[in-house]
Amino acid sequence: MPSDVLVVEDDPIIALDFEDTLLGFGVKEVRTAANVAKALELIEHRAPEFALLNVGLIREKSFAVAERLQSLDVPFAFVTGYGVDAKLPAVFAGKPRLAKPHSTEALQALLKNGGS
């Protein structure tokens, strides 16, 4: 289980739910960002061990965050309400996806497997 997880989610209730669930799994620190700029700032300060990225944020997509994480070899997964139908750039086609809504078990399995 990673000890530091970044959650990029623009809905504060969903972000709080992720935070509570992750802390319940034993994750020591959960950092949240509601937009790309804040997420990149948090990554620059300290790269997380794992990240959950909501694909569609308010007026932007999280792909710039995904690119930065990938360049740092940080595992991540996309979170989307569109499931396997979500359109992702080809470079991210093989990345894991967590459906909205998700089960606690699915989230825990994703973290235990390091996003693979």
Side-chain angles (χ1 to χ4, degrees), residues 69-80:
L69 292 168
Q70 192 160 279
S71 74
L72 295 170
D73 291 322
V74 174
F76 63 90
F78 288 107
V79 180
T80 177

Side-chain angles (χ1 to χ4, degrees), residues 56-97:
L57 304 169
I58 297 173
R59 293 185 295 277
E60 59 187 347
K61 301 282 188 210
S62 63
F63 301 135
V65 178
E67 289 171 358
R68 182 65 181 136
L69 292 168
Q70 192 160 279
S71 74
L72 295 170
D73 291 322
V74 174
F76 63 90
F78 288 107
V79 180
T80 177
Y82 298 104
V84 295
D85 295 330
K87 301 291 184 212
L88 300 177
V91 69
F92 302 128
K95 289 294 179 184
R97 301 175 196 197

Side-chain angles (χ1 to χ4, degrees), residues 5-116:
V5 176
L6 173 64
V7 175
V8 181
E9 172 59 63
D10 57 347
D11 184 314
I13 293 171
I14 294 172
L16 185 58
D17 181 55
F18 270 126
E19 183 176 5
D20 287 345
T21 303
L22 293 168
L23 292 172
F25 290 162
V27 173
K28 297 203 182 334
E29 185 169 7
V30 178
R31 297 179 288 156
T32 60
N35 58 54
V36 169
K38 181 65 176 176
L40 292 174
E41 179 184 314
L42 290 172
I43 293 166
E44 192 62 35
H45 176 67
R46 184 180 73 249
E49 291 178 18
F50 190 84
L52 294 167
L53 309 178
N54 182 11
V55 173
L57 304 169
I58 297 173
R59 293 185 295 277
E60 59 187 347
K61 301 282 188 210
S62 63
F63 301 135
V65 178
E67 289 171 358
R68 182 65 181 136
L69 292 168
Q70 192 160 279
S71 74
L72 295 170
D73 291 322
V74 174
F76 63 90
F78 288 107
V79 180
T80 177
Y82 298 104
V84 295
D85 295 330
K87 301 291 184 212
L88 300 177
V91 69
F92 302 128
K95 289 294 179 184
R97 301 175 196 197
L98 184 66
K100 281 185 183 177
H102 65 277
S103 71
T104 302
E105 295 78 16
L107 176 58
Q108 192 169 30
L110 184 67
L111 290 169
K112 283 184 176 178
N113 295 326
S116 55

